[in-house]
Amino acid sequence: MAVSNVALIASSEGPMSGDLFDDRNAFSKSLTSEIVIALCGPMGTPLHEVAQTFQKLLLSNDFGYEEVVILKLSDEIRRIKGLQNEKSIEKLIEAGNELRQEYGNAVLSRLAIQDILLSRTKHQDEADNKLREENPEADPSLTMPRAPRRCCHIIDSVKHIDELQLLRSVYGDMLHVVGVYSPIDMRIERLEKRKGPDDQIHRLIDRDSGEEVDYGQSVEETFPLSDFFLRVDSATDSQRNTRVRRFLELMLGTNIITPTINERAMYAAFSAARNSACLSRQVGAAITNEEGEILATGWNDVPRAFGGLYQTVDQNSSRDDDRRCWNMDGGHCYNDEEKTLIANAMVDRLIENGLVAEESRSKAFTMIRKDSQLKSLIEFSRAVHAEMHALLTAGETKGSQIRRGKLFVTTYPCHSCARHLVAAGIKEVFFLEPYRKSLATKLHSDSITERESDEAKVRLMPFDGVAPSRFLKFFSSHPSGRKDGNGKMHVREASPVTSITLEAIHTLEAFALRALQSRGLNK
């Protein structure tokens, strides 16, 4: 091989193909600084302003990114549906739903992936041409090194859970999902300025949160899966800059940042949820006193005689004494069983009284069991809820500190737990996942509110900060350590703490784009 070819390879920051892929550091050299940020948030949230803040900060000297591109998925809807001049938000929602129904729920993510791949391909071609010009004697058949680049694509915004799942499947840890939230009053005010003449704001908010059809928007399901929750409750640039900067410093490892009191508490709740063997869902809770000290954690599971819940004591524990639902009668949910019995009993009575024909039994059962409020009942569960478990545990030794404390829970509290939290003196409740079945604010509107400005009631608020699922990754020390040999703190170049290699990404991107090519949507 010519010397110039070897020099060409040696200058690469990426691995080479064939026999030359023997560098012990090849894998670490293949790690990329390229990142993808996906924004998700309820309608009326300043997502575009947040995207611009990310763009401005990433391009600054503090983070040193060379290219930051904002991909507005609504622009793809306008382009494909010919709605470039459409002002109605409602019509854009309907057009997006039509696209998902026709091309699949993840079609907008596929279009974003296409743009990212085309951008990287263009960058690679330019780098290849430059290398060949600088090395005219190089073998033309030589596989060119992967061209490094400090680039970020910001997807504004993800509205369906299938869109998010596809992006995660393709980009893995390269993807960072930011859930942006603003108080309802602020969102309504913003929508008043943006809405078309026929748009009804409250209907828009409801549709955006979660539509009944599978291909409809489902922000309520998508938002809780974010890696970072960013509450924007002020219109000022300084607030957005401060909160976005903190996330970037965590994500790119440029500063030593420790978790907030709320982040520690929510991580404790998230960790506690892992103890649950409930067949319905794992829920965790943590209670802090007024100063933020964690008093107790709890999770949802079946109570055991004389106090506490069933749990695995050690790896040698016998399962014979474990009487949780998963280990009873082949594993079944007692709550679901009772609701089915009630539905059958109701249908029997309706038939006995001549209100429903026998041949309509199956249809009547389905309507009562699946399409009525019966499906939302939780009264027949054997499990103690996570919030109640945490309250009971804290009450044993630190009951006096519960008053004016905070509760952190992975799922919005049900109305039953909510009334106990009010009675216990909890001041604020922070949650990750919404819970559409909960009647907490409806039944206790005198004591509970979702309005952040109303401090006269117990406030139920979405969590703000690093998601528990990213807690260990973002708050763990960098592998290179925090100081050098002279005891001085490392000053690191901004680089993703979740750096991955691009080698598999291209294959995954191509796989995701096959659906576009087969339907003629490829560019």
Short mmCIF file of all heavy atoms in Angstrom, two decimals, residues 448-480:
data_model
loop_
_atom_site.label_atom_id
_atom_site.label_comp_id
_atom_site.label_asym_id
_atom_site.label_seq_id
_atom_site.Cartn_x
_atom_site.Cartn_y
_atom_site.Cartn_z
N ILE A 448 -57.26 20.65 46.44
CA ILE A 448 -56.21 20.24 45.51
C ILE A 448 -56.31 21.05 44.22
O ILE A 448 -57.40 21.32 43.73
CB ILE A 448 -56.34 18.74 45.18
CG1 ILE A 448 -56.22 17.90 46.46
CG2 ILE A 448 -55.29 18.30 44.18
CD1 ILE A 448 -56.45 16.42 46.23
N THR A 449 -55.16 21.42 43.67
CA THR A 449 -55.15 22.19 42.43
C THR A 449 -53.98 21.77 41.55
O THR A 449 -52.96 21.27 42.04
CB THR A 449 -55.05 23.70 42.72
OG1 THR A 449 -55.08 24.42 41.48
CG2 THR A 449 -53.75 24.03 43.45
N GLU A 450 -54.12 21.97 40.26
CA GLU A 450 -53.02 21.79 39.32
C GLU A 450 -52.44 23.13 38.88
O GLU A 450 -51.54 23.18 38.05
CB GLU A 450 -53.48 20.99 38.09
CG GLU A 450 -53.82 19.54 38.40
CD GLU A 450 -54.24 18.77 37.16
OE1 GLU A 450 -54.46 19.41 36.12
OE2 GLU A 450 -54.36 17.53 37.24
N ARG A 451 -52.99 24.21 39.42
CA ARG A 451 -52.50 25.55 39.09
C ARG A 451 -51.31 25.90 39.99
O ARG A 451 -51.44 25.97 41.21
CB ARG A 451 -53.61 26.59 39.25
CG ARG A 451 -54.75 26.39 38.26
CD ARG A 451 -55.79 27.50 38.37
NE ARG A 451 -56.88 27.30 37.43
CZ ARG A 451 -56.84 27.68 36.16
NH1 ARG A 451 -55.78 28.30 35.69
NH2 ARG A 451 -57.87 27.46 35.36
N GLU A 452 -50.19 26.12 39.37
CA GLU A 452 -48.97 26.36 40.14
C GLU A 452 -49.03 27.66 40.95
O GLU A 452 -48.34 27.79 41.96
CB GLU A 452 -47.77 26.39 39.18
CG GLU A 452 -47.54 25.07 38.48
CD GLU A 452 -46.32 25.10 37.58
OE1 GLU A 452 -45.38 25.85 37.90
OE2 GLU A 452 -46.31 24.38 36.57
N SER A 453 -49.85 28.60 40.50
CA SER A 453 -49.92 29.89 41.19
C SER A 453 -50.81 29.85 42.43
O SER A 453 -50.80 30.79 43.23
CB SER A 453 -50.46 30.96 40.22
OG SER A 453 -51.75 30.59 39.74
N ASP A 454 -51.57 28.78 42.61
CA ASP A 454 -52.52 28.69 43.72
C ASP A 454 -51.85 28.00 44.92
O ASP A 454 -51.88 26.77 45.06
CB ASP A 454 -53.76 27.90 43.28
CG ASP A 454 -54.88 27.98 44.31
OD1 ASP A 454 -54.65 28.53 45.41
OD2 ASP A 454 -55.98 27.48 44.02
N GLU A 455 -51.25 28.77 45.79
CA GLU A 455 -50.55 28.22 46.94
C GLU A 455 -51.46 28.02 48.14
O GLU A 455 -51.00 27.61 49.22
CB GLU A 455 -49.38 29.13 47.31
CG GLU A 455 -48.32 29.22 46.21
CD GLU A 455 -47.08 29.96 46.65
OE1 GLU A 455 -46.99 30.29 47.85
OE2 GLU A 455 -46.21 30.21 45.81
N ALA A 456 -52.75 28.29 47.98
CA ALA A 456 -53.69 28.08 49.08
C ALA A 456 -54.18 26.63 49.12
O ALA A 456 -54.93 26.25 50.03
CB ALA A 456 -54.88 29.02 48.94
N LYS A 457 -53.78 25.82 48.14
CA LYS A 457 -54.20 24.42 48.07
C LYS A 457 -52.99 23.52 47.88
O LYS A 457 -51.88 24.00 47.60
CB LYS A 457 -55.19 24.23 46.91
CG LYS A 457 -56.45 25.07 47.01
CD LYS A 457 -57.33 24.87 45.78
CE LYS A 457 -58.57 25.75 45.84
NZ LYS A 457 -59.42 25.59 44.63
N VAL A 458 -53.21 22.23 48.01
CA VAL A 458 -52.15 21.25 47.72
C VAL A 458 -51.95 21.23 46.21
O VAL A 458 -52.89 20.95 45.46
CB VAL A 458 -52.54 19.85 48.23
CG1 VAL A 458 -51.44 18.84 47.88
CG2 VAL A 458 -52.78 19.87 49.74
N ARG A 459 -50.74 21.49 45.78
CA ARG A 459 -50.47 21.61 44.34
C ARG A 459 -49.95 20.28 43.77
O ARG A 459 -49.02 19.68 44.32
CB ARG A 459 -49.45 22.72 44.07
CG ARG A 459 -49.95 24.10 44.48
CD ARG A 459 -49.00 25.19 44.05
NE ARG A 459 -47.68 25.04 44.68
CZ ARG A 459 -46.63 25.81 44.38
NH1 ARG A 459 -46.74 26.74 43.44
NH2 ARG A 459 -45.48 25.65 45.00
N LEU A 460 -50.57 19.84 42.68
CA LEU A 460 -50.11 18.66 41.93
C LEU A 460 -49.38 19.17 40.69
O LEU A 460 -49.99 19.80 39.82
CB LEU A 460 -51.28 17.78 41.52
CG LEU A 460 -52.19 17.25 42.65
CD1 LEU A 460 -53.27 16.36 42.07
CD2 LEU A 460 -51.39 16.50 43.69
N MET A 461 -48.08 18.91 40.60
CA MET A 461 -47.29 19.52 39.53
C MET A 461 -46.41 18.50 38.82
O MET A 461 -45.87 17.58 39.46
CB MET A 461 -46.42 20.63 40.10
CG MET A 461 -47.21 21.79 40.70
SD MET A 461 -46.16 23.18 41.16
CE MET A 461 -45.21 22.46 42.50
N PRO A 462 -46.21 18.67 37.52
CA PRO A 462 -45.28 17.80 36.79
C PRO A 462 -43.86 18.02 37.30
O PRO A 462 -43.47 19.13 37.67
CB PRO A 462 -45.41 18.28 35.33
CG PRO A 462 -46.70 19.02 35.28
CD PRO A 462 -46.90 19.63 36.62
N PHE A 463 -43.10 16.96 37.32
CA PHE A 463 -41.72 17.01 37.78
C PHE A 463 -40.86 17.81 36.82
O PHE A 463 -41.08 17.80 35.61
CB PHE A 463 -41.19 15.57 37.90
CG PHE A 463 -39.73 15.48 38.20
CD1 PHE A 463 -39.24 15.82 39.44
CD2 PHE A 463 -38.84 15.04 37.22
CE1 PHE A 463 -37.88 15.73 39.73
CE2 PHE A 463 -37.49 14.94 37.49
CZ PHE A 463 -37.00 15.29 38.75
N ASP A 464 -39.85 18.48 37.36
CA ASP A 464 -38.95 19.33 36.57
C ASP A 464 -37.51 18.93 36.88
O ASP A 464 -37.10 18.93 38.04
CB ASP A 464 -39.20 20.80 36.95
CG ASP A 464 -38.30 21.76 36.18
OD1 ASP A 464 -38.11 21.55 34.98
OD2 ASP A 464 -37.80 22.72 36.80
N GLY A 465 -36.74 18.54 35.86
CA GLY A 465 -35.34 18.18 36.08
C GLY A 465 -34.96 16.92 35.33
O GLY A 465 -35.65 16.48 34.40
N VAL A 466 -33.84 16.31 35.72
CA VAL A 466 -33.35 15.10 35.07
C VAL A 466 -34.27 13.93 35.40
O VAL A 466 -34.60 13.69 36.57
CB VAL A 466 -31.91 14.78 35.55
CG1 VAL A 466 -31.44 13.43 35.00
CG2 VAL A 466 -30.95 15.88 35.12
N ALA A 467 -34.69 13.22 34.36
CA ALA A 467 -35.55 12.05 34.57
C ALA A 467 -34.80 10.98 35.34
O ALA A 467 -33.59 10.81 35.17
CB ALA A 467 -36.01 11.49 33.22
N PRO A 468 -35.48 10.25 36.22
CA PRO A 468 -34.81 9.20 37.00
C PRO A 468 -34.07 8.18 36.14
O PRO A 468 -33.04 7.65 36.54
CB PRO A 468 -35.95 8.55 37.77
CG PRO A 468 -37.01 9.59 37.86
CD PRO A 468 -36.90 10.37 36.59
N SER A 469 -34.59 7.92 34.94
CA SER A 469 -33.96 6.93 34.06
C SER A 469 -32.58 7.37 33.59
O SER A 469 -31.77 6.54 33.15
CB SER A 469 -34.87 6.66 32.85
OG SER A 469 -35.12 7.87 32.14
N ARG A 470 -32.28 8.68 33.66
CA ARG A 470 -30.97 9.20 33.25
C ARG A 470 -30.12 9.65 34.44
O ARG A 470 -29.03 10.18 34.27
CB ARG A 470 -31.17 10.39 32.31
CG ARG A 470 -31.64 10.00 30.92
CD ARG A 470 -30.48 9.52 30.05
NE ARG A 470 -30.86 9.37 28.66
CZ ARG A 470 -30.02 9.23 27.67
NH1 ARG A 470 -28.72 9.24 27.90
NH2 ARG A 470 -30.43 9.09 26.43
N PHE A 471 -30.64 9.46 35.64
CA PHE A 471 -30.00 10.00 36.84
C PHE A 471 -28.55 9.51 36.98
O PHE A 471 -27.62 10.30 37.16
CB PHE A 471 -30.82 9.60 38.06
CG PHE A 471 -30.37 10.21 39.36
CD1 PHE A 471 -30.91 11.41 39.80
CD2 PHE A 471 -29.42 9.59 40.14
CE1 PHE A 471 -30.51 11.97 41.00
CE2 PHE A 471 -29.00 10.13 41.35
CZ PHE A 471 -29.55 11.34 41.77
N LEU A 472 -28.35 8.21 36.93
CA LEU A 472 -27.01 7.65 37.14
C LEU A 472 -26.04 8.07 36.04
O LEU A 472 -24.87 8.35 36.31
CB LEU A 472 -27.09 6.13 37.23
CG LEU A 472 -27.81 5.56 38.46
CD1 LEU A 472 -27.81 4.04 38.41
CD2 LEU A 472 -27.14 6.04 39.75
N LYS A 473 -26.52 8.11 34.81
CA LYS A 473 -25.64 8.46 33.70
C LYS A 473 -25.20 9.93 33.79
O LYS A 473 -24.02 10.24 33.62
CB LYS A 473 -26.36 8.21 32.37
CG LYS A 473 -25.56 8.59 31.14
CD LYS A 473 -24.31 7.75 30.99
CE LYS A 473 -24.62 6.32 30.64
NZ LYS A 473 -23.39 5.55 30.33
N PHE A 474 -26.13 10.82 34.07
CA PHE A 474 -25.80 12.24 34.07
C PHE A 474 -25.02 12.68 35.31
O PHE A 474 -24.24 13.62 35.26
CB PHE A 474 -27.07 13.08 33.95
CG PHE A 474 -27.62 13.17 32.55
CD1 PHE A 474 -28.86 13.73 32.31
CD2 PHE A 474 -26.90 12.69 31.48
CE1 PHE A 474 -29.37 13.82 31.03
CE2 PHE A 474 -27.41 12.76 30.19
CZ PHE A 474 -28.64 13.33 29.96
N PHE A 475 -25.27 12.01 36.44
CA PHE A 475 -24.64 12.47 37.67
C PHE A 475 -23.46 11.61 38.11
O PHE A 475 -22.93 11.80 39.20
CB PHE A 475 -25.68 12.55 38.79
CG PHE A 475 -26.71 13.63 38.57
CD1 PHE A 475 -28.05 13.31 38.40
CD2 PHE A 475 -26.33 14.96 38.51
CE1 PHE A 475 -29.00 14.31 38.19
CE2 PHE A 475 -27.26 15.96 38.29
CZ PHE A 475 -28.61 15.64 38.13
N SER A 476 -23.04 10.67 37.28
CA SER A 476 -21.85 9.89 37.58
C SER A 476 -20.61 10.62 37.08
O SER A 476 -20.65 11.30 36.05
CB SER A 476 -21.93 8.51 36.93
OG SER A 476 -23.00 7.76 37.46
N SER A 477 -19.50 10.46 37.80
CA SER A 477 -18.26 11.12 37.41
C SER A 477 -17.79 10.59 36.06
O SER A 477 -17.97 9.42 35.74
CB SER A 477 -17.18 10.86 38.46
OG SER A 477 -15.94 11.41 38.08
N HIS A 478 -17.18 11.46 35.26
CA HIS A 478 -16.66 11.06 33.96
C HIS A 478 -15.55 10.03 34.14
O HIS A 478 -14.78 10.10 35.11
CB HIS A 478 -16.11 12.29 33.21
CG HIS A 478 -15.83 12.03 31.77
ND1 HIS A 478 -14.61 11.57 31.34
CD2 HIS A 478 -16.60 12.16 30.66
CE1 HIS A 478 -14.64 11.44 30.02
NE2 HIS A 478 -15.83 11.78 29.59
N PRO A 479 -15.44 9.03 33.24
CA PRO A 479 -14.41 7.99 33.38
C PRO A 479 -12.99 8.55 33.52
O PRO A 479 -12.14 7.93 34.15
CB PRO A 479 -14.56 7.18 32.08
CG PRO A 479 -16.00 7.37 31.70
CD PRO A 479 -16.34 8.78 32.12
N SER A 480 -12.72 9.72 32.92
CA SER A 480 -11.39 10.30 33.00
C SER A 480 -11.12 10.96 34.35
O SER A 480 -10.01 11.40 34.63
CB SER A 480 -11.20 11.35 31.89
OG SER A 480 -12.11 12.44 32.07
#
